[in-house]
Amino acid sequence: NLDAQGGRGAVVESRRDVPGHTFVPVGEMPSAIVVPPRNAEITYVTNFGSRDLHVLRTQAFLSLPPGEDPVLQVVELGERESTGSPIDLLLSPDEDALFVAVPGLGGVLRMPLRRCAWSGGDCEDGHVIEDEIEFIDLRASRALLPATPPSPERASGYAELCDFQRPEPPELPPLEVDLAALGTPRPTALALDAFCRTGEACARRILVADEALPLIHVIDLDAP
């Protein structure tokens, strides 16, 4: 953490009324954290153990007035007996949604964020719009796989063999994928691919690593 002047990192002291170093309380077993660059007054934390997402005042990591709650919102992602434990968290480039990888559900949650223009009202900017949360089922990726993927090509690099006569290797058998045998996806990590060259149109997307399937899921950020 940087101090107010952007200098060296300093120890966070969030409770001056408690002896020793204290920290901002969140849920059980925090698994990921996001601070939006353009809306840095709010911090988002997913918790693997309590299966929820905490929306926090970023100021709480520095200091808060006495009696002010650091937690603005808690979004439940599953019951204690369910498999809705989040493991990774990603912010959209427009900072209008969070994407949460939930291995036990086999998919990714898209959690839209409320963004408010100044109006003098009580709009809760940065809060999750809970009734608009969407589930992206990654099992749909299996239907996009070809039943017979292309066989790997042999390397055709330069080789110095002198007088040795190398025999031709046997033909490689074609690869076959049993789509029915593929298990349930278990997303484990999210990465944003939103780089576009100046003057070129490109698709913004999220790449999803999977610990159960030998593939990378691709989510189109600009698709409905």
Side-chain angles (χ1 to χ4, degrees), residues 78-118:
E79 301 295 334
R80 291 280 178 172
E81 295 77 16
S82 76
T83 54
S85 294
I87 197 169
D88 200 10
L89 178 64
L90 184 71
L91 180 70
S92 68
D94 299 328
E95 299 190 1
D96 60 351
L98 296 168
F99 291 85
V100 183
V102 188
L105 298 180
V108 174
L109 294 174
R110 182 186 183 276
M111 311 179 73
L113 301 177
R114 183 173 288 108
R115 291 301 176 198
C116 312
W118 184 87

PDB file of all heavy atoms in Angstrom, residues 78-118:
ATOM      1  N   GLY A  78     -23.767 -18.568  -2.682  1.00  0.00           N
ATOM      2  CA  GLY A  78     -24.215 -19.941  -2.500  1.00  0.00           C
ATOM      3  C   GLY A  78     -24.400 -20.243  -1.037  1.00  0.00           C
ATOM      4  O   GLY A  78     -23.843 -19.588  -0.161  1.00  0.00           O
ATOM      5  N   GLU A  79     -25.206 -21.260  -0.745  1.00  0.00           N
ATOM      6  CA  GLU A  79     -25.407 -21.692   0.628  1.00  0.00           C
ATOM      7  C   GLU A  79     -24.178 -22.465   1.116  1.00  0.00           C
ATOM      8  O   GLU A  79     -23.316 -22.857   0.342  1.00  0.00           O
ATOM      9  CB  GLU A  79     -26.652 -22.585   0.716  1.00  0.00           C
ATOM     10  CG  GLU A  79     -27.933 -21.901   0.261  1.00  0.00           C
ATOM     11  CD  GLU A  79     -28.304 -20.739   1.159  1.00  0.00           C
ATOM     12  OE1 GLU A  79     -27.904 -20.750   2.343  1.00  0.00           O
ATOM     13  OE2 GLU A  79     -28.986 -19.812   0.671  1.00  0.00           O
ATOM     14  N   ARG A  80     -24.095 -22.651   2.402  1.00  0.00           N
ATOM     15  CA  ARG A  80     -22.952 -23.354   2.985  1.00  0.00           C
ATOM     16  C   ARG A  80     -22.790 -24.742   2.390  1.00  0.00           C
ATOM     17  O   ARG A  80     -21.689 -25.235   2.216  1.00  0.00           O
ATOM     18  CB  ARG A  80     -23.140 -23.472   4.506  1.00  0.00           C
ATOM     19  CG  ARG A  80     -23.041 -22.140   5.237  1.00  0.00           C
ATOM     20  CD  ARG A  80     -21.612 -21.755   5.442  1.00  0.00           C
ATOM     21  NE  ARG A  80     -21.490 -20.465   6.096  1.00  0.00           N
ATOM     22  CZ  ARG A  80     -20.339 -19.969   6.524  1.00  0.00           C
ATOM     23  NH1 ARG A  80     -19.232 -20.654   6.345  1.00  0.00           N
ATOM     24  NH2 ARG A  80     -20.287 -18.794   7.099  1.00  0.00           N
ATOM     25  N   GLU A  81     -23.897 -25.414   2.082  1.00  0.00           N
ATOM     26  CA  GLU A  81     -23.823 -26.779   1.566  1.00  0.00           C
ATOM     27  C   GLU A  81     -23.649 -26.817   0.056  1.00  0.00           C
ATOM     28  O   GLU A  81     -23.534 -27.885  -0.534  1.00  0.00           O
ATOM     29  CB  GLU A  81     -25.099 -27.548   1.951  1.00  0.00           C
ATOM     30  CG  GLU A  81     -25.273 -27.756   3.450  1.00  0.00           C
ATOM     31  CD  GLU A  81     -25.743 -26.507   4.165  1.00  0.00           C
ATOM     32  OE1 GLU A  81     -26.216 -25.580   3.486  1.00  0.00           O
ATOM     33  OE2 GLU A  81     -25.625 -26.453   5.403  1.00  0.00           O
ATOM     34  N   SER A  82     -23.657 -25.659  -0.605  1.00  0.00           N
ATOM     35  CA  SER A  82     -23.583 -25.640  -2.064  1.00  0.00           C
ATOM     36  C   SER A  82     -22.130 -25.638  -2.525  1.00  0.00           C
ATOM     37  O   SER A  82     -21.202 -25.725  -1.725  1.00  0.00           O
ATOM     38  CB  SER A  82     -24.311 -24.418  -2.618  1.00  0.00           C
ATOM     39  OG  SER A  82     -23.521 -23.252  -2.439  1.00  0.00           O
ATOM     40  N   THR A  83     -21.948 -25.527  -3.834  1.00  0.00           N
ATOM     41  CA  THR A  83     -20.602 -25.534  -4.409  1.00  0.00           C
ATOM     42  C   THR A  83     -20.246 -24.169  -4.989  1.00  0.00           C
ATOM     43  O   THR A  83     -19.407 -24.077  -5.876  1.00  0.00           O
ATOM     44  CB  THR A  83     -20.510 -26.598  -5.514  1.00  0.00           C
ATOM     45  OG1 THR A  83     -21.554 -26.370  -6.472  1.00  0.00           O
ATOM     46  CG2 THR A  83     -20.654 -27.981  -4.935  1.00  0.00           C
ATOM     47  N   GLY A  84     -20.888 -23.123  -4.511  1.00  0.00           N
ATOM     48  CA  GLY A  84     -20.685 -21.805  -5.092  1.00  0.00           C
ATOM     49  C   GLY A  84     -19.534 -21.027  -4.501  1.00  0.00           C
ATOM     50  O   GLY A  84     -19.673 -19.848  -4.155  1.00  0.00           O
ATOM     51  N   SER A  85     -18.366 -21.662  -4.352  1.00  0.00           N
ATOM     52  CA  SER A  85     -17.206 -20.979  -3.783  1.00  0.00           C
ATOM     53  C   SER A  85     -16.407 -20.286  -4.886  1.00  0.00           C
ATOM     54  O   SER A  85     -15.924 -20.941  -5.811  1.00  0.00           O
ATOM     55  CB  SER A  85     -16.312 -21.978  -3.041  1.00  0.00           C
ATOM     56  OG  SER A  85     -16.975 -22.498  -1.915  1.00  0.00           O
ATOM     57  N   PRO A  86     -16.247 -18.960  -4.820  1.00  0.00           N
ATOM     58  CA  PRO A  86     -15.501 -18.241  -5.858  1.00  0.00           C
ATOM     59  C   PRO A  86     -14.004 -18.403  -5.670  1.00  0.00           C
ATOM     60  O   PRO A  86     -13.507 -18.468  -4.543  1.00  0.00           O
ATOM     61  CB  PRO A  86     -15.922 -16.785  -5.635  1.00  0.00           C
ATOM     62  CG  PRO A  86     -16.197 -16.711  -4.161  1.00  0.00           C
ATOM     63  CD  PRO A  86     -16.774 -18.056  -3.778  1.00  0.00           C
ATOM     64  N   ILE A  87     -13.285 -18.449  -6.797  1.00  0.00           N
ATOM     65  CA  ILE A  87     -11.845 -18.661  -6.718  1.00  0.00           C
ATOM     66  C   ILE A  87     -11.051 -17.556  -7.410  1.00  0.00           C
ATOM     67  O   ILE A  87      -9.879 -17.360  -7.116  1.00  0.00           O
ATOM     68  CB  ILE A  87     -11.477 -20.042  -7.303  1.00  0.00           C
ATOM     69  CG1 ILE A  87     -10.076 -20.462  -6.861  1.00  0.00           C
ATOM     70  CG2 ILE A  87     -11.591 -20.056  -8.821  1.00  0.00           C
ATOM     71  CD1 ILE A  87      -9.733 -21.888  -7.171  1.00  0.00           C
ATOM     72  N   ASP A  88     -11.666 -16.831  -8.342  1.00  0.00           N
ATOM     73  CA  ASP A  88     -10.963 -15.732  -9.002  1.00  0.00           C
ATOM     74  C   ASP A  88     -11.967 -14.650  -9.371  1.00  0.00           C
ATOM     75  O   ASP A  88     -13.176 -14.907  -9.492  1.00  0.00           O
ATOM     76  CB  ASP A  88     -10.228 -16.227 -10.251  1.00  0.00           C
ATOM     77  CG  ASP A  88      -9.120 -15.265 -10.687  1.00  0.00           C
ATOM     78  OD1 ASP A  88      -8.799 -14.328  -9.917  1.00  0.00           O
ATOM     79  OD2 ASP A  88      -8.574 -15.433 -11.785  1.00  0.00           O
ATOM     80  N   LEU A  89     -11.450 -13.426  -9.551  1.00  0.00           N
ATOM     81  CA  LEU A  89     -12.288 -12.254  -9.763  1.00  0.00           C
ATOM     82  C   LEU A  89     -11.639 -11.366 -10.810  1.00  0.00           C
ATOM     83  O   LEU A  89     -10.424 -11.175 -10.804  1.00  0.00           O
ATOM     84  CB  LEU A  89     -12.451 -11.499  -8.436  1.00  0.00           C
ATOM     85  CG  LEU A  89     -13.254 -10.203  -8.418  1.00  0.00           C
ATOM     86  CD1 LEU A  89     -14.708 -10.456  -8.770  1.00  0.00           C
ATOM     87  CD2 LEU A  89     -13.144  -9.551  -7.036  1.00  0.00           C
ATOM     88  N   LEU A  90     -12.458 -10.819 -11.725  1.00  0.00           N
ATOM     89  CA  LEU A  90     -11.951  -9.973 -12.804  1.00  0.00           C
ATOM     90  C   LEU A  90     -12.914  -8.822 -13.035  1.00  0.00           C
ATOM     91  O   LEU A  90     -14.140  -9.012 -12.996  1.00  0.00           O
ATOM     92  CB  LEU A  90     -11.789 -10.791 -14.092  1.00  0.00           C
ATOM     93  CG  LEU A  90     -11.187 -10.080 -15.300  1.00  0.00           C
ATOM     94  CD1 LEU A  90      -9.702  -9.820 -15.075  1.00  0.00           C
ATOM     95  CD2 LEU A  90     -11.369 -10.918 -16.558  1.00  0.00           C
ATOM     96  N   LEU A  91     -12.371  -7.640 -13.296  1.00  0.00           N
ATOM     97  CA  LEU A  91     -13.168  -6.454 -13.585  1.00  0.00           C
ATOM     98  C   LEU A  91     -13.207  -6.218 -15.086  1.00  0.00           C
ATOM     99  O   LEU A  91     -12.180  -6.332 -15.772  1.00  0.00           O
ATOM    100  CB  LEU A  91     -12.563  -5.239 -12.879  1.00  0.00           C
ATOM    101  CG  LEU A  91     -13.268  -3.898 -13.061  1.00  0.00           C
ATOM    102  CD1 LEU A  91     -14.604  -3.882 -12.321  1.00  0.00           C
ATOM    103  CD2 LEU A  91     -12.369  -2.758 -12.556  1.00  0.00           C
ATOM    104  N   SER A  92     -14.372  -5.882 -15.623  1.00  0.00           N
ATOM    105  CA  SER A  92     -14.477  -5.595 -17.050  1.00  0.00           C
ATOM    106  C   SER A  92     -13.731  -4.310 -17.385  1.00  0.00           C
ATOM    107  O   SER A  92     -13.544  -3.448 -16.522  1.00  0.00           O
ATOM    108  CB  SER A  92     -15.950  -5.468 -17.453  1.00  0.00           C
ATOM    109  OG  SER A  92     -16.515  -4.297 -16.873  1.00  0.00           O
ATOM    110  N   PRO A  93     -13.282  -4.133 -18.636  1.00  0.00           N
ATOM    111  CA  PRO A  93     -12.541  -2.920 -19.012  1.00  0.00           C
ATOM    112  C   PRO A  93     -13.331  -1.636 -18.780  1.00  0.00           C
ATOM    113  O   PRO A  93     -12.746  -0.588 -18.483  1.00  0.00           O
ATOM    114  CB  PRO A  93     -12.239  -3.133 -20.501  1.00  0.00           C
ATOM    115  CG  PRO A  93     -12.363  -4.597 -20.726  1.00  0.00           C
ATOM    116  CD  PRO A  93     -13.394  -5.076 -19.762  1.00  0.00           C
ATOM    117  N   ASP A  94     -14.654  -1.695 -18.920  1.00  0.00           N
ATOM    118  CA  ASP A  94     -15.487  -0.513 -18.707  1.00  0.00           C
ATOM    119  C   ASP A  94     -15.854  -0.315 -17.244  1.00  0.00           C
ATOM    120  O   ASP A  94     -16.584   0.637 -16.919  1.00  0.00           O
ATOM    121  CB  ASP A  94     -16.764  -0.620 -19.548  1.00  0.00           C
ATOM    122  CG  ASP A  94     -16.470  -0.702 -21.039  1.00  0.00           C
ATOM    123  OD1 ASP A  94     -15.465  -0.091 -21.467  1.00  0.00           O
ATOM    124  OD2 ASP A  94     -17.220  -1.374 -21.762  1.00  0.00           O
ATOM    125  N   GLU A  95     -15.392  -1.210 -16.381  1.00  0.00           N
ATOM    126  CA  GLU A  95     -15.668  -1.158 -14.940  1.00  0.00           C
ATOM    127  C   GLU A  95     -17.164  -1.158 -14.649  1.00  0.00           C
ATOM    128  O   GLU A  95     -17.626  -0.554 -13.679  1.00  0.00           O
ATOM    129  CB  GLU A  95     -14.985   0.051 -14.290  1.00  0.00           C
ATOM    130  CG  GLU A  95     -13.482   0.032 -14.431  1.00  0.00           C
ATOM    131  CD  GLU A  95     -12.760   1.076 -13.596  1.00  0.00           C
ATOM    132  OE1 GLU A  95     -13.443   1.821 -12.864  1.00  0.00           O
ATOM    133  OE2 GLU A  95     -11.522   1.155 -13.676  1.00  0.00           O
ATOM    134  N   ASP A  96     -17.928  -1.863 -15.494  1.00  0.00           N
ATOM    135  CA  ASP A  96     -19.370  -1.934 -15.289  1.00  0.00           C
ATOM    136  C   ASP A  96     -19.821  -3.329 -14.884  1.00  0.00           C
ATOM    137  O   ASP A  96     -21.019  -3.582 -14.736  1.00  0.00           O
ATOM    138  CB  ASP A  96     -20.109  -1.507 -16.553  1.00  0.00           C
ATOM    139  CG  ASP A  96     -19.779  -2.374 -17.761  1.00  0.00           C
ATOM    140  OD1 ASP A  96     -18.843  -3.212 -17.660  1.00  0.00           O
ATOM    141  OD2 ASP A  96     -20.437  -2.227 -18.801  1.00  0.00           O
ATOM    142  N   ALA A  97     -18.875  -4.266 -14.691  1.00  0.00           N
ATOM    143  CA  ALA A  97     -19.245  -5.626 -14.297  1.00  0.00           C
ATOM    144  C   ALA A  97     -18.040  -6.342 -13.708  1.00  0.00           C
ATOM    145  O   ALA A  97     -16.884  -6.033 -14.038  1.00  0.00           O
ATOM    146  CB  ALA A  97     -19.790  -6.411 -15.490  1.00  0.00           C
ATOM    147  N   LEU A  98     -18.335  -7.287 -12.829  1.00  0.00           N
ATOM    148  CA  LEU A  98     -17.334  -8.197 -12.296  1.00  0.00           C
ATOM    149  C   LEU A  98     -17.596  -9.587 -12.860  1.00  0.00           C
ATOM    150  O   LEU A  98     -18.751  -9.972 -13.080  1.00  0.00           O
ATOM    151  CB  LEU A  98     -17.405  -8.259 -10.771  1.00  0.00           C
ATOM    152  CG  LEU A  98     -17.079  -6.985 -10.005  1.00  0.00           C
ATOM    153  CD1 LEU A  98     -17.487  -7.151  -8.540  1.00  0.00           C
ATOM    154  CD2 LEU A  98     -15.605  -6.631 -10.114  1.00  0.00           C
ATOM    155  N   PHE A  99     -16.529 -10.343 -13.096  1.00  0.00           N
ATOM    156  CA  PHE A  99     -16.643 -11.733 -13.516  1.00  0.00           C
ATOM    157  C   PHE A  99     -15.995 -12.596 -12.437  1.00  0.00           C
ATOM    158  O   PHE A  99     -14.857 -12.352 -12.043  1.00  0.00           O
ATOM    159  CB  PHE A  99     -15.972 -11.953 -14.875  1.00  0.00           C
ATOM    160  CG  PHE A  99     -16.699 -11.298 -16.013  1.00  0.00           C
ATOM    161  CD1 PHE A  99     -16.477  -9.969 -16.322  1.00  0.00           C
ATOM    162  CD2 PHE A  99     -17.625 -12.009 -16.768  1.00  0.00           C
ATOM    163  CE1 PHE A  99     -17.162  -9.351 -17.375  1.00  0.00           C
ATOM    164  CE2 PHE A  99     -18.306 -11.407 -17.813  1.00  0.00           C
ATOM    165  CZ  PHE A  99     -18.072 -10.077 -18.112  1.00  0.00           C
ATOM    166  N   VAL A 100     -16.737 -13.601 -11.977  1.00  0.00           N
ATOM    167  CA  VAL A 100     -16.297 -14.433 -10.867  1.00  0.00           C
ATOM    168  C   VAL A 100     -16.241 -15.882 -11.327  1.00  0.00           C
ATOM    169  O   VAL A 100     -17.241 -16.435 -11.816  1.00  0.00           O
ATOM    170  CB  VAL A 100     -17.257 -14.306  -9.665  1.00  0.00           C
ATOM    171  CG1 VAL A 100     -16.733 -15.127  -8.495  1.00  0.00           C
ATOM    172  CG2 VAL A 100     -17.421 -12.840  -9.257  1.00  0.00           C
ATOM    173  N   ALA A 101     -15.074 -16.507 -11.191  1.00  0.00           N
ATOM    174  CA  ALA A 101     -14.919 -17.922 -11.536  1.00  0.00           C
ATOM    175  C   ALA A 101     -15.364 -18.777 -10.359  1.00  0.00           C
ATOM    176  O   ALA A 101     -14.868 -18.613  -9.240  1.00  0.00           O
ATOM    177  CB  ALA A 101     -13.463 -18.225 -11.887  1.00  0.00           C
ATOM    178  N   VAL A 102     -16.305 -19.686 -10.621  1.00  0.00           N
ATOM    179  CA  VAL A 102     -16.854 -20.560  -9.575  1.00  0.00           C
ATOM    180  C   VAL A 102     -16.679 -22.010 -10.039  1.00  0.00           C
ATOM    181  O   VAL A 102     -17.508 -22.533 -10.793  1.00  0.00           O
ATOM    182  CB  VAL A 102     -18.338 -20.247  -9.305  1.00  0.00           C
ATOM    183  CG1 VAL A 102     -18.821 -21.030  -8.089  1.00  0.00           C
ATOM    184  CG2 VAL A 102     -18.555 -18.758  -9.096  1.00  0.00           C
ATOM    185  N   PRO A 103     -15.601 -22.692  -9.625  1.00  0.00           N
ATOM    186  CA  PRO A 103     -15.335 -24.042 -10.131  1.00  0.00           C
ATOM    187  C   PRO A 103     -16.470 -25.018  -9.869  1.00  0.00           C
ATOM    188  O   PRO A 103     -16.820 -25.831 -10.734  1.00  0.00           O
ATOM    189  CB  PRO A 103     -14.067 -24.454  -9.371  1.00  0.00           C
ATOM    190  CG  PRO A 103     -13.434 -23.172  -8.949  1.00  0.00           C
ATOM    191  CD  PRO A 103     -14.552 -22.215  -8.707  1.00  0.00           C
ATOM    192  N   GLY A 104     -17.061 -24.976  -8.681  1.00  0.00           N
ATOM    193  CA  GLY A 104     -18.089 -25.938  -8.336  1.00  0.00           C
ATOM    194  C   GLY A 104     -19.345 -25.834  -9.162  1.00  0.00           C
ATOM    195  O   GLY A 104     -20.095 -26.802  -9.291  1.00  0.00           O
ATOM    196  N   LEU A 105     -19.594 -24.667  -9.743  1.00  0.00           N
ATOM    197  CA  LEU A 105     -20.768 -24.476 -10.593  1.00  0.00           C
ATOM    198  C   LEU A 105     -20.464 -24.722 -12.059  1.00  0.00           C
ATOM    199  O   LEU A 105     -21.372 -24.755 -12.892  1.00  0.00           O
ATOM    200  CB  LEU A 105     -21.321 -23.056 -10.422  1.00  0.00           C
ATOM    201  CG  LEU A 105     -21.813 -22.673  -9.021  1.00  0.00           C
ATOM    202  CD1 LEU A 105     -22.337 -21.249  -9.018  1.00  0.00           C
ATOM    203  CD2 LEU A 105     -22.887 -23.637  -8.549  1.00  0.00           C
ATOM    204  N   GLY A 106     -19.192 -24.867 -12.388  1.00  0.00           N
ATOM    205  CA  GLY A 106     -18.817 -25.116 -13.778  1.00  0.00           C
ATOM    206  C   GLY A 106     -19.013 -23.917 -14.674  1.00  0.00           C
ATOM    207  O   GLY A 106     -19.269 -24.072 -15.875  1.00  0.00           O
ATOM    208  N   GLY A 107     -18.883 -22.721 -14.135  1.00  0.00           N
ATOM    209  CA  GLY A 107     -19.090 -21.539 -14.966  1.00  0.00           C
ATOM    210  C   GLY A 107     -18.588 -20.272 -14.308  1.00  0.00           C
ATOM    211  O   GLY A 107     -17.886 -20.297 -13.286  1.00  0.00           O
ATOM    212  N   VAL A 108     -18.971 -19.160 -14.910  1.00  0.00           N
ATOM    213  CA  VAL A 108     -18.533 -17.833 -14.478  1.00  0.00           C
ATOM    214  C   VAL A 108     -19.763 -16.971 -14.230  1.00  0.00           C
ATOM    215  O   VAL A 108     -20.713 -16.993 -15.025  1.00  0.00           O
ATOM    216  CB  VAL A 108     -17.630 -17.183 -15.553  1.00  0.00           C
ATOM    217  CG1 VAL A 108     -17.286 -15.751 -15.186  1.00  0.00           C
ATOM    218  CG2 VAL A 108     -16.357 -17.997 -15.745  1.00  0.00           C
ATOM    219  N   LEU A 109     -19.753 -16.231 -13.141  1.00  0.00           N
ATOM    220  CA  LEU A 109     -20.829 -15.290 -12.847  1.00  0.00           C
ATOM    221  C   LEU A 109     -20.464 -13.915 -13.387  1.00  0.00           C
ATOM    222  O   LEU A 109     -19.343 -13.435 -13.189  1.00  0.00           O
ATOM    223  CB  LEU A 109     -21.069 -15.192 -11.338  1.00  0.00           C
ATOM    224  CG  LEU A 109     -21.614 -16.438 -10.633  1.00  0.00           C
ATOM    225  CD1 LEU A 109     -21.647 -16.205  -9.122  1.00  0.00           C
ATOM    226  CD2 LEU A 109     -22.994 -16.784 -11.150  1.00  0.00           C
ATOM    227  N   ARG A 110     -21.413 -13.304 -14.085  1.00  0.00           N
ATOM    228  CA  ARG A 110     -21.249 -11.901 -14.490  1.00  0.00           C
ATOM    229  C   ARG A 110     -22.110 -11.057 -13.559  1.00  0.00           C
ATOM    230  O   ARG A 110     -23.332 -11.208 -13.508  1.00  0.00           O
ATOM    231  CB  ARG A 110     -21.688 -11.678 -15.939  1.00  0.00           C
ATOM    232  CG  ARG A 110     -21.491 -10.230 -16.397  1.00  0.00           C
ATOM    233  CD  ARG A 110     -22.057  -9.981 -17.791  1.00  0.00           C
ATOM    234  NE  ARG A 110     -21.789  -8.627 -18.226  1.00  0.00           N
ATOM    235  CZ  ARG A 110     -22.541  -7.565 -17.919  1.00  0.00           C
ATOM    236  NH1 ARG A 110     -23.625  -7.731 -17.159  1.00  0.00           N
ATOM    237  NH2 ARG A 110     -22.228  -6.363 -18.350  1.00  0.00           N
ATOM    238  N   MET A 111     -21.465 -10.171 -12.807  1.00  0.00           N
ATOM    239  CA  MET A 111     -22.137  -9.379 -11.794  1.00  0.00           C
ATOM    240  C   MET A 111     -22.090  -7.910 -12.199  1.00  0.00           C
ATOM    241  O   MET A 111     -21.053  -7.258 -12.054  1.00  0.00           O
ATOM    242  CB  MET A 111     -21.485  -9.594 -10.428  1.00  0.00           C
ATOM    243  CG  MET A 111     -21.292 -11.064 -10.083  1.00  0.00           C
ATOM    244  SD  MET A 111     -20.485 -11.360  -8.489  1.00  0.00           S
ATOM    245  CE  MET A 111     -21.801 -10.931  -7.382  1.00  0.00           C
ATOM    246  N   PRO A 112     -23.176  -7.362 -12.762  1.00  0.00           N
ATOM    247  CA  PRO A 112     -23.162  -5.972 -13.215  1.00  0.00           C
ATOM    248  C   PRO A 112     -23.056  -5.004 -12.036  1.00  0.00           C
ATOM    249  O   PRO A 112     -23.576  -5.267 -10.943  1.00  0.00           O
ATOM    250  CB  PRO A 112     -24.504  -5.819 -13.942  1.00  0.00           C
ATOM    251  CG  PRO A 112     -25.362  -6.887 -13.369  1.00  0.00           C
ATOM    252  CD  PRO A 112     -24.468  -8.017 -13.003  1.00  0.00           C
ATOM    253  N   LEU A 113     -22.361  -3.893 -12.276  1.00  0.00           N
ATOM    254  CA  LEU A 113     -22.162  -2.870 -11.253  1.00  0.00           C
ATOM    255  C   LEU A 113     -22.981  -1.626 -11.582  1.00  0.00           C
ATOM    256  O   LEU A 113     -23.081  -1.235 -12.746  1.00  0.00           O
ATOM    257  CB  LEU A 113     -20.675  -2.498 -11.153  1.00  0.00           C
ATOM    258  CG  LEU A 113     -19.713  -3.644 -10.819  1.00  0.00           C
ATOM    259  CD1 LEU A 113     -18.277  -3.143 -10.827  1.00  0.00           C
ATOM    260  CD2 LEU A 113     -20.057  -4.271  -9.474  1.00  0.00           C
ATOM    261  N   ARG A 114     -23.536  -1.032 -10.569  1.00  0.00           N
ATOM    262  CA  ARG A 114     -24.313   0.197 -10.751  1.00  0.00           C
ATOM    263  C   ARG A 114     -23.350   1.371 -10.897  1.00  0.00           C
ATOM    264  O   ARG A 114     -22.495   1.597 -10.044  1.00  0.00           O
ATOM    265  CB  ARG A 114     -25.253   0.410  -9.559  1.00  0.00           C
ATOM    266  CG  ARG A 114     -26.150   1.631  -9.686  1.00  0.00           C
ATOM    267  CD  ARG A 114     -27.171   1.681  -8.573  1.00  0.00           C
ATOM    268  NE  ARG A 114     -28.199   0.673  -8.743  1.00  0.00           N
ATOM    269  CZ  ARG A 114     -28.320  -0.424  -8.010  1.00  0.00           C
ATOM    270  NH1 ARG A 114     -27.453  -0.659  -7.038  1.00  0.00           N
ATOM    271  NH2 ARG A 114     -29.291  -1.295  -8.233  1.00  0.00           N
ATOM    272  N   ARG A 115     -23.478   2.100 -11.977  1.00  0.00           N
ATOM    273  CA  ARG A 115     -22.677   3.298 -12.211  1.00  0.00           C
ATOM    274  C   ARG A 115     -23.617   4.481 -12.321  1.00  0.00           C
ATOM    275  O   ARG A 115     -24.508   4.505 -13.175  1.00  0.00           O
ATOM    276  CB  ARG A 115     -21.827   3.159 -13.479  1.00  0.00           C
ATOM    277  CG  ARG A 115     -20.707   2.130 -13.368  1.00  0.00           C
ATOM    278  CD  ARG A 115     -19.771   2.468 -12.245  1.00  0.00           C
ATOM    279  NE  ARG A 115     -18.731   1.467 -12.040  1.00  0.00           N
ATOM    280  CZ  ARG A 115     -18.016   1.372 -10.930  1.00  0.00           C
ATOM    281  NH1 ARG A 115     -18.243   2.204  -9.924  1.00  0.00           N
ATOM    282  NH2 ARG A 115     -17.098   0.436 -10.798  1.00  0.00           N
ATOM    283  N   CYS A 116     -23.423   5.495 -11.474  1.00  0.00           N
ATOM    284  CA  CYS A 116     -24.357   6.607 -11.353  1.00  0.00           C
ATOM    285  C   CYS A 116     -23.689   7.913 -11.758  1.00  0.00           C
ATOM    286  O   CYS A 116     -22.621   8.243 -11.251  1.00  0.00           O
ATOM    287  CB  CYS A 116     -24.860   6.729  -9.916  1.00  0.00           C
ATOM    288  SG  CYS A 116     -25.413   5.181  -9.187  1.00  0.00           S
ATOM    289  N   ALA A 117     -24.330   8.636 -12.657  1.00  0.00           N
ATOM    290  CA  ALA A 117     -23.916  10.012 -12.927  1.00  0.00           C
ATOM    291  C   ALA A 117     -24.362  10.870 -11.749  1.00  0.00           C
ATOM    292  O   ALA A 117     -25.301  10.531 -11.024  1.00  0.00           O
ATOM    293  CB  ALA A 117     -24.543  10.512 -14.228  1.00  0.00           C
ATOM    294  N   TRP A 118     -23.692  11.997 -11.543  1.00  0.00           N
ATOM    295  CA  TRP A 118     -24.025  12.844 -10.397  1.00  0.00           C
ATOM    296  C   TRP A 118     -25.453  13.345 -10.532  1.00  0.00           C
ATOM    297  O   TRP A 118     -25.836  13.915 -11.547  1.00  0.00           O
ATOM    298  CB  TRP A 118     -23.075  14.038 -10.323  1.00  0.00           C
ATOM    299  CG  TRP A 118     -23.334  14.880  -9.100  1.00  0.00           C
ATOM    300  CD1 TRP A 118     -22.805  14.700  -7.865  1.00  0.00           C
ATOM    301  CD2 TRP A 118     -24.202  16.006  -8.997  1.00  0.00           C
ATOM    302  NE1 TRP A 118     -23.279  15.641  -6.992  1.00  0.00           N
ATOM    303  CE2 TRP A 118     -24.140  16.458  -7.663  1.00  0.00           C
ATOM    304  CE3 TRP A 118     -25.035  16.680  -9.897  1.00  0.00           C
ATOM    305  CZ2 TRP A 118     -24.873  17.551  -7.208  1.00  0.00           C
ATOM    306  CZ3 TRP A 118     -25.762  17.764  -9.445  1.00  0.00           C
ATOM    307  CH2 TRP A 118     -25.679  18.198  -8.116  1.00  0.00           C
TER     308      TRP A 118
END
